[in-house]
Amino acid sequence: MLKALFPNGAKKAFTLSYDDGCYDDIRLMELMSSLNIKGTFNISSELYRPDGTEPEGYWPRMTRAETENYKRPGVEVALHGVTHRDFTKITGPELVYEIMADKHNLENMFSTVIRGAAYPYGTFDDRSVETLRQSGIKYCRTVWSDYSLNMPSDWLRLRPTAHHADPKLPELVDKFLTETPRDLRMMYIWGHTPEFRRDKNWGLIEDILSKVSGREDIWFATNIEICEYDLAAKSLEYSADGRFVYNPTAVKVLLERRPDDAVAVEPGALIEL
Ligand SMILES: [Zn+2]
């Protein structure tokens, strides 16, 4: 079995995940666009700031009209519970509604199929994981940092690397940038953009993003792009002697034959290695 590389031949992926559909997401998305960095925004699609009000106060969300701002390249929209209720503290039908109503609203707003999520309050249990799985959701992010750059072992209980203001993050960013990994690595930073407003620390994320941006040894992708690529790489089927490999997925997977020698396994292709 050969090790996978990311689509650009890199072994490192970088992504962001920001919650609640807040007004300050616009500033973060503009920063991301200017640096070619991609990421995911998790939205509760029944919670908007009223039309005609200013984005002021502690936690300003977007108005419904302002959510048009999420329609830009490099941005994935994911569900976050339609009214942001704790998935572990509601009845089964309420849980189904929180997931499916949000999925349905966002799909209609953004003309897409929503396949990603973040747990409201970060809380989850086996029932919520199973309900998400049955709803066609491929990954769901918790808020429990794992301080690791390893690829996730369970995408429906996804643990981020760290919150943007975590004091351990700068060291992890340096490690991510300097190490030469044998296996795939992912740096996954999460938060809420009103925290930058509240804590007056936009410089923190500006520094991190400018530090990582523009590097050819990193794949910049949304959450679902990394998730789908990882799931596809893990779905490859090998012959008993490892000579042939079959890709049953819709995602092209790049494999490392030797250092500086990669082979692409196209969707549906069977190739000899
Ligand atoms: Zn939230």
Side-chain angles (χ1 to χ4, degrees), residues 44-219:
S44 296
S45 58
E46 278 185 15
L47 302 180
Y48 295 114
R49 200 177 82 250
D51 285 334
T53 60
E54 291 301 311
E56 294 167 341
Y58 172 63
W59 209 260
R61 294 178 186 266
M62 293 220 198
T63 63
R64 163 88 196 222
E66 283 166 354
T67 60
E68 288 289 310
N69 282 284
Y70 292 111
K71 293 181 181 171
R72 63 174 81 205
V75 165
E76 175 200 3
V77 165
L79 70 83
H80 194 43
V82 73
T83 60
H84 203 280
R85 298 182 70 189
D86 185 330
F87 285 2
T88 65
K89 293 184 177 152
I90 52 181
T91 66
E94 288 170 327
L95 174 61
V96 170
Y97 180 76
E98 280 294 310
I99 294 168
M100 290 309 288
D102 206 19
K103 181 169 158 69
H104 177 69
N105 288 346
L106 296 171
E107 287 172 346
N108 278 286
M109 288 159 64
F110 296 99
S111 304
T112 188
V113 178
I114 300 291
R115 288 162 295 153
Y119 292 103
Y121 310 104
T123 49
F124 64 96
D125 52 16
D126 290 347
R127 184 188 66 168
S128 42
V129 169
E130 192 48 39
T131 308
L132 286 162
R133 192 191 315 279
Q134 290 182 15
S135 305
I137 299 301
K138 298 288 185 261
Y139 74 86
C140 193
R141 198 211 74 228
T142 71
V143 296
W144 314 113
S145 304
D146 72 351
Y147 300 117
S148 150
L149 300 171
N150 294 335
M151 292 298 286
S153 54
D154 184 349
W155 280 97
L156 284 168
R157 295 174 178 83
L158 175 58
R159 297 181 64 172
T161 309
H163 181 272
H164 63 243
D166 194 302
K168 293 183 184 160
L169 185 59
E171 197 180 315
L172 284 160
V173 171
D174 287 341
K175 183 181 172 200
F176 177 68
L177 292 176
T178 53
E179 80 168 347
T180 308
R182 284 168 52 90
D183 300 305
L184 296 185
R185 288 282 182 268
M186 177 174 76
M187 167 146 276
Y188 186 117
I189 298 172
W190 80 282
H192 306 86
T193 55
E195 293 164 339
F196 299 123
R197 173 189 290 250
R198 180 193 67 195
D199 302 335
K200 298 182 175 53
N201 61 357
W202 275 101
L204 195 146
I205 194 74
E206 287 162 1
D207 287 351
I208 293 171
L209 298 191
S210 26
K211 216 168 175 181
V212 299
S213 75
R215 293 180 51 133
E216 286 179 1
D217 63 339
I218 299 174
W219 181 41

Side-chain angles (χ1 to χ4, degrees), residues 2-29:
L2 300 181
K3 288 182 191 294
L5 299 168
F6 286 123
N8 62 346
K11 288 190 176 178
K12 306 174 190 181
F14 183 90
T15 196
L16 299 172
S17 173
Y18 278 78
D19 295 357
D20 290 359
C22 293
Y23 179 77
D24 295 295
D25 288 357
I26 298 171
R27 177 165 168 180
L28 179 59
M29 286 189 284

